[in-house]
Structure formats: structure tokens, C-alpha cells
């Protein structure tokens, strides 16, 4: 393996790095809480404003896609 590292150590580090990356992504996703809804009418140029939804209550219910309604 690279730099003379045994295979077991290499796999352990690879797994630890992958788990740390996934955990970090989950923490950031929960903190910022992105608004993943798709508006019916796209905003005009310069109208789009972003904010941290994790710090404020949502003012509207998330839209349900037509596929989820059919289930």
C-alpha cells in the first residue's frame, strides 16, 4: 500500500475518513436546513434571497410532489 502502510491500517483510515465525512455532512445539513421545495414559478433575476431556515420557523408547508401524493 502507499508509503508502506499495512492493508489493515489503510482500510481503517479509509473507513474512519469516510464516516467522518458523512457525519460532518449530516451536521451541516441539519444546521442549515436547506429549503428543498421547488417553487411553481421561478423567481425573477435578482429576486432570489437565501436565509438560514434553521434559525427561523418556516412560513409555509413544504410542497408534496405528485409522486408522493399517489402513494
Amino acid at each position: 500500500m502507499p508509503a508502506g502502510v499495512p492493508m489493515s491500517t489503510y482500510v481503517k483510515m479509509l473507513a474512519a475518513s469516510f464516516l467522518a465525512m458523512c457525519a460532518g455532512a449530516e451536521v451541516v445539513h441539519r444546521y442549515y436546513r436547506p429549503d428543498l421545495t421547488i417553487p411553481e414559478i421561478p423567481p425573477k433575476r435578482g429576486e432570489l434571497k437565501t436565509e438560514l431556515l434553521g434559525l427561523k420557523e418556516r412560513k409555509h408547508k413544504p410542497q408534496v410532489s405528485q409522486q408522493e401524493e399517489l402513494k
Side-chain angles (χ1 to χ4, degrees):
M1 296 306 317
V5 178
M7 181 69 154
S8 61
T9 305
Y10 186 79
V11 171
K12 287 177 191 176
M13 288 302 295
L14 182 68
S17 300
F18 182 73
L19 290 174
M21 179 183 64
C22 290
E26 181 69 21
V27 168
V28 168
H29 189 81
R30 286 178 183 261
Y31 180 76
Y32 285 107
R33 292 187 186 186
D35 184 11
L36 300 176
T37 59
I38 300 172
E40 292 182 20
I41 301 172
K44 294 178 184 176
R45 187 178 199 129
E47 266 186 2
L48 184 63
K49 296 180 182 177
T50 57
E51 59 185 28
L52 296 176
L53 295 177
L55 301 177
K56 297 181 180 179
E57 292 294 322
R58 292 185 186 214
K59 295 179 182 177
H60 62 282
K61 291 184 179 180
Q63 296 176 352
V64 180
S65 69
Q66 292 176 354
Q67 291 177 348
E68 291 179 8
E69 289 176 357
L70 298 175
K71 290 182 182 178

